[in-house]
Amino acid sequence: MAKHTIVLIPGDGIGPEVSNAARRVLDSAGLSVDWVVLPAGASALDQGFENVLPQKTLEAIQHHKVALKGPVTTPVGKGFKSVNVQLRQKLNLYAAIRPVRNLPGIKTRFENVDMVIVRENTEGLYSGIENEIVPGVVTSLKVASQAACTRISRYAFRYATRRHRQKITVFHKANIMKLSDGLFLDCARKIHDEEYPNIEYDELIIDAGCMKLVQDPSRFDVLLMENLYGDLVSDLCAGLVGGLGVVPGSNIGDDCAIFEAVHGTAPDIAGKGIANPLAIIMSSVMMLNHIHEETLAAKIKHAYDAVLTDGDPKTLTKDLGGGAGTEQFTNALIAKLK
Ligand code: NAD
C-alpha cells in the first residue's frame, strides 16, 4: 500500500474529539499515512498563530492535496471571515458533496432515503461582499458567474453518471432572483441538454422543494443548488436520516480536496466526550475512496454498519438513542474492523 500524507485539522469545539476518533479508526484499519496536524479556526489563535487560517495550514493542504478537517467556529455577526469560506475560496474547492442516506439500525420517519446534495461552494451570498449604503441600510451581494455555475453543473452531472444516479433536481428561486438563480438554471439546463441528456433533469422552486423533501425524501436522487441553499438543505436533510451526527461531506476542487462532516463545533456538547464521531468517520471513508483506498473504505463502512445494525445502546451515542460516549462508539467500531 502506498504511503499517504494527509493534513489533519482537528478544529474547534467537538472537532478534536471527533477527528481524533476518525484518526484512530483510520490507523486501526491499516491506512499507511503520515498525518500533518495543523490548526485552523479559534484554536489556531489559541496556539499563537496570528490568523484563524494560518498560511502554514493553507500551504500544507496545497502541497499534500488532501485534508481531513474537524469543524471550526465562526463568530456570528462580527469578527473574522469564516475559515471554511476562506478555505473553499482560496483552494477553489468548488463542489461540496454531501450524501444523505438511511443507515442500518437507525430508525427514522422515512425509509429508502438515498440522495446526494451537490452544493456550489465558492460564490452566491458567500462572496462576503457586504456594504452599509447609509446608516441603517445594508446590502449583501449574491454573486453568480457563468463559469462557476457551469462548473458545478458539469460536476454534478459527471458525478451522477459515474455513480449510476438517475436524476438531478435543481433547487432554485429564479422566480425572485431572476438574474442570479436564472443564470444557475440556464447553465444547468445547458449541461444537461448538451452533455448529459441521458440523466433525468428537473427543477423545483426551493420552498416547494423543501416541502416535498419533508413529505417524502425518497423521491429525490441528486440535488444540485447554489451555496446558501445547499447549506440549509444539507442540515434539513440530515434531520431526515438521524441528525448531523450521521451526514458526511467533502469539498472538492481540481487540485485538492477537504473532507469534513456537515455539522459544526457543537459548543453545547464540546468537551463532554459525547459527540458522535460517525459523520467525520464517514467523511474519512469518502476520503479513502478519493485517494483510491477503496478496500479500506469498504472495511470501515462495514464496521460502522455492523455497529449500527447491532443497535446496542451501550455503543451508540446519545444522538442515536444510546448512552455511549465518543470513545466507546469508536472502540466498538474498531473492534468490528476485519
Ligand atoms: P452545530 O452543527 O455545531 O450543532 C447543531 C446541533 O447539532 C447541536 O445541538 C449539536 O450538539 C448537534 N450536533 C452537531 N454535531 C454533532 C455530533 N457530531 N454529535 C452529536 N450532536 C451533534 O451547529 P451550530 O450550533 O449552528 O454551530 C456551532 C458553530 O459551528 C458555529 O460557530 C458555526 O459557524 C460552526 N460551524 C462550522 C462548520 C464547519 O466547520 N464545517 C459547519 C457548521 C457550523
Side-chain angles (χ1 to χ4, degrees):
M1 182 193 298
K3 187 153 197 173
H4 302 277
T5 305
I6 298 173
V7 178
L8 180 68
I9 302 171
D12 304 323
I14 60 168
E17 301 163 52
V18 294
S19 59
N20 184 47
R23 180 179 174 165
R24 281 186 58 212
V25 169
L26 289 164
D27 290 341
S28 305
L31 179 66
S32 175
V33 58
D34 280 332
W35 293 106
V36 178
V37 182
L38 286 167
S43 47
L45 301 180
D46 296 343
Q47 290 177 34
F49 286 89
E50 282 181 6
N51 200 314
V52 281
L53 179 54
Q55 190 61 19
K56 198 175 168 187
T57 305
L58 194 63
E59 282 172 6
I61 305 170
Q62 279 163 330
H63 182 70
H64 298 297
K65 314 283 187 208
V66 181
L68 181 64
K69 175 184 163 295
V72 295
T73 304
T74 304
V76 175
K78 58 181 168 41
F80 54 79
K81 182 176 176 182
S82 161
V83 172
N84 296 315
V85 172
Q86 286 191 60
L87 277 172
R88 292 163 193 170
Q89 290 177 348
K90 287 184 177 177
L91 298 172
N92 219 354
L93 305 173
Y94 58 87
I97 308 300
R98 292 156 166 201
V100 178
R101 64 179 175 92
N102 285 124
L103 290 168
I106 300 182
K107 204 168 156 27
T108 57
R109 195 178 294 265
F110 301 102
E111 288 174 358
N112 304 317
V113 179
D114 180 9
M115 49 190 170
V116 179
I117 297 163
V118 178
R119 166 189 178 191
E120 203 293 320
N121 227 5
T122 59
E123 49 181 40
L125 276 166
Y126 288 62
S127 61
I129 306 169
E130 296 194 307
N131 289 301
E132 184 178 49
I133 306 299
V134 292
V137 182
V138 296
T139 60
S140 293
L141 207 63
K142 174 162 171 161
V143 177
S145 68
Q146 191 175 19
C149 296
T150 301
R151 181 173 63 176
I152 192 65
S153 299
R154 185 172 284 120
Y155 188 96
F157 278 98
R158 197 173 54 217
Y159 178 94
T161 305
R162 287 186 181 160
R163 302 297 175 116
H164 308 293
R165 296 266 172 180
Q166 311 297 320
K167 182 176 178 182
I168 289 186
T169 305
V170 176
F171 278 15
H172 67 91
K173 195 75 188 172
N175 49 331
I176 305 297
M177 280 158 279
K178 294 176 195 295
L179 284 185
S180 54
D181 282 17
L183 178 63
F184 195 95
L185 282 184
D186 285 346
C187 295
R189 284 174 194 160
K190 193 163 188 292
I191 295 291
H192 170 249
D193 293 348
E194 294 179 3
E195 298 179 25
Y196 295 92
N198 51 314
I199 301 276
E200 228 182 299
Y201 172 81
D202 72 354
E203 299 162 355
L204 277 174
I205 293 178
I206 188 162
D207 34 353
C210 286
M211 181 202 66
K212 287 178 192 277
L213 266 176
V214 298
Q215 278 180 329
D216 179 11
S218 69
R219 73 171 83 178
F220 292 102
D221 191 352
V222 176
L223 297 177
L224 167 64
M225 61 199 84
E226 62 87 82
N227 211 338
L228 178 64
Y229 307 155
D231 192 6
L232 307 183
V233 169
S234 297
D235 276 37
L236 184 155
C237 290
L240 300 171
V241 295
L244 283 165
V246 299
V247 178
S250 59
N251 303 285
I252 310 279
D254 289 333
D255 299 320
C256 1
I258 297 181
F259 296 81
E260 63 178 340
V262 170
H263 65 70
T265 57
D268 51 337
I269 57 168
K272 296 183 178 164
I274 57 170
N276 187 350
L278 184 53
I280 192 170
I281 293 169
M282 292 169 80
S283 309
S284 312
V285 168
M286 293 175 77
M287 180 182 76
L288 289 175
N289 283 318
H290 179 80
I291 61 173
H292 305 295
E293 292 286 0
E294 290 87 356
T295 309
L296 281 185
K299 183 168 155 177
I300 296 174
K301 182 175 178 298
H302 282 133
Y304 65 66
D305 277 352
V307 176
L308 297 175
T309 305
D310 285 353
D312 181 352
K314 290 200 289 301
T315 54
L316 295 183
T317 46
K318 201 170 160 205
D319 57 316
L320 299 183
T326 312
E327 200 175 336
Q328 286 156 299
F329 174 83
T330 309
N331 291 344
L333 196 164
I334 289 171
K336 296 274 188 194
L337 287 169
K338 48 175 173 311

